Amino acid sequence: MRAAGQALGNYRLNDTTLYVTLEPCIMCAAAIVHARVRRLVFGAWDQRAGAAGSIIDVFALPSLNHRVDVFGGVLSAECAAQLERFFDARRGWRSYLRASDAAGGFGSTAAAAAFPQVATRAASKSS
């Protein structure tokens, strides 16, 4: 949203549609309202922190002076899978780094054996 505001030269994003993979949290929902985004489309519901209907619906609060059209659950399974892959990779990468430190450094044989999928990815990035 910050980059869009800079590109438009205005923090208000009137007549825009924001597409995201995960239901926004309360802070993000408030920022969306404040930026005057017209439409929000999100994929996966967030049962722990979602503010578009999961734990609260910020967009339906009557005291707010802007209304956002919200469409949730669009390609929900695909978005959830994408988020899961992303965070699994991050967790795997951190585990790989810890194992490589314990086993004698980055790219060690022991670390590569413990996390072969991450080691393959790391090797392809370094070449």
Side-chain angles (χ1 to χ4, degrees):
M1 286 179 28
R2 181 177 293 142
Q6 288 173 343
L8 294 172
N10 190 342
Y11 75 93
R12 290 197 172 162
L13 305 176
N14 296 316
D15 299 322
T16 60
T17 300
L18 178 63
Y19 296 90
V20 295
T21 53
L22 185 64
E23 178 184 10
C25 68
I26 293 171
M27 183 178 67
C28 293
I32 290 166
V33 171
H34 183 67
R36 307 291 196 270
V37 170
R38 172 170 286 186
R39 184 177 303 112
L40 168 68
V41 180
F42 69 88
W45 295 92
D46 185 351
Q47 299 303 318
R48 287 185 283 161
S54 287
I55 62 168
I56 191 171
D57 190 352
V58 168
F59 302 104
L61 295 174
S63 59
L64 296 178
N65 63 350
H66 176 72
R67 297 287 166 245
V68 178
D69 295 328
V70 179
F71 301 91
V74 177
L75 298 174
S76 180
E78 292 87 342
C79 289
Q82 182 177 3
L83 287 164
E84 190 171 317
R85 284 190 305 272
F86 173 79
F87 285 108
D88 281 349
R90 287 186 59 101
R91 287 182 200 106
W93 181 250
R94 282 191 296 250
S95 298
Y96 172 72
L97 291 177
R98 281 194 299 274
S100 67
D101 285 344
F106 183 77
S108 69
T109 306
F115 298 95
Q117 73 282 7
V118 178
T120 304
R121 219 174 317 131
S124 67
K125 285 182 181 178
S126 65
S127 35

